[in-house]
Amino acid sequence: SAVISQKPSRDICQRGTSLTIQCQVDSQVTMMFWYRQQPGQSLTLIATANQGSEATYESGFVIDKFPISRPNLTFSTLTVSNMSPEDSSIYLCSIDRGAPNYGYTFGSGTRLTVV
Amino acid sequence: QQPVQSPQAVILREGEDAVINCSSSKALYSVHWYRQKHGEAPVFLMILLKGGEQKGHEKISASFNEKKQQSSLYLTASQLSYSGTYFCGTERVGNDMRFGAGTRLTVKP
């Protein structure tokens, strides 16, 4: 099954700055998903990234704040821009393995702390 | 639309059983179940696609009701390794995965 390499694993950033999170998949996938998970909470979908088109953002998330790139079928980045302490969270990328294995595979996550 | 998951938390002794429920107000394309241990990413357990389906994996099994609006995860004869937070994830055709709020399961010796 697919393996996702996500980095950085953690970072501490100053407010007002930006952080770019990278995910590399060891196989080609059509869609990649970006989730946010605040401590002790569920996973909230930020956006869906398709190669060759604009990412689709969920309600409450905007492109200016969370720009996403998807330059090819194995790679995607999520940038958290103009950070504030409220952006402190775990960010995870994910793919849908589809048939026959099914299920989502997640990257190991990026623990972001904004000070 | 986020599925409704219950209970929020369960504490068990080794060998005891637990049931976690996940429900939606509308029919679903599929239900996924995941387990997340502290500090780690969620790990896929199983998917249910058909109404009335039941599926098992060792001592962890799940069901999907006929109307495809409710799923239950059954953990029998629990082991210490079962501790973690369990999430159901639901898909509707043409939509992305939505996760329930999670059930924190603690298994004690």
Side-chain angles (χ1 to χ4, degrees):
Chain A
S1 58
V3 175
I4 305 175
S5 299
Q6 181 174 346
K7 60 182 182 182
S9 59
R10 59 177 64 226
D11 208 341
I12 301 173
C13 300
Q14 297 290 324
R15 67 178 65 201
T17 64
S18 298
L19 175 72
T20 295
I21 302 167
Q22 301 180 5
C23 277
Q24 178 77 50
V25 187
D26 66 352
S27 59
Q28 294 185 339
V29 293
T30 304
M31 290 193 291
M32 291 181 71
F33 306 96
W34 287 96
Y35 285 89
R36 183 173 72 183
Q37 186 176 33
Q38 295 179 316
Q41 302 295 313
S42 184
L43 297 98
T44 301
L45 182 65
I46 297 171
T48 301
N50 285 320
Q51 194 269 332
S53 64
E54 292 281 340
T56 302
Y57 288 83
E58 296 299 303
S59 176
F61 298 95
V62 294
I63 187 171
D64 291 346
K65 176 68 176 178
F66 298 99
I68 287 172
S69 79
R70 186 79 205 276
N72 57 53
L73 291 173
T74 64
F75 187 78
S76 180
T77 67
L78 170 77
T79 299
V80 186
S81 303
N82 189 25
M83 288 184 284
S84 65
E86 291 71 35
D87 295 320
S88 297
S89 191
I90 298 171
Y91 294 85
L92 300 113
C93 60
S94 178
I95 63 166
D96 183 354
R97 293 198 296 269
N101 297 314
Y102 294 109
Y104 277 37
T105 296
F106 288 87
S108 53
T110 297
R111 183 180 293 270
L112 171 63
T113 302
V114 184
V115 297
Chain B
Q1 194 169 14
Q2 188 180 23
V4 178
Q5 190 174 337
S6 64
Q8 290 185 331
V10 181
I11 299 175
L12 301 172
R13 294 287 181 186
E14 270 188 297
E16 293 182 340
D17 302 341
V19 180
I20 300 170
N21 298 304
C22 179
S23 64
S24 170
S25 59
K26 297 187 178 182
L28 301 165
Y29 173 71
S30 69
V31 172
H32 298 217
W33 286 97
Y34 294 82
R35 178 171 60 207
Q36 185 177 33
K37 292 189 177 284
H38 184 69
E40 299 180 8
V43 173
F44 174 71
L45 296 175
M46 66 185 81
I47 182 174
L48 297 103
L49 290 165
K50 300 176 183 177
E53 183 176 8
Q54 297 192 18
K55 182 177 284 188
H57 173 68
E58 296 182 345
K59 293 179 182 177
I60 300 174
S61 61
S63 64
F64 199 11
N65 76 345
E66 288 289 343
K67 290 186 176 181
K68 301 184 74 174
Q69 290 180 261
Q70 182 166 357
S71 177
S72 296
L73 183 72
Y74 307 94
L75 302 111
T76 59
S78 59
Q79 306 168 14
L80 294 175
S81 62
Y82 286 3
S83 292
T85 300
Y86 290 78
F87 293 98
C88 66
T90 58
E91 291 179 291
R92 293 176 58 202
V93 176
N95 288 278
D96 310 299
M97 180 91 70
R98 297 290 187 268
F99 289 92
T103 297
R104 184 186 296 260
L105 181 73
T106 305
V107 181
K108 296 186 174 182

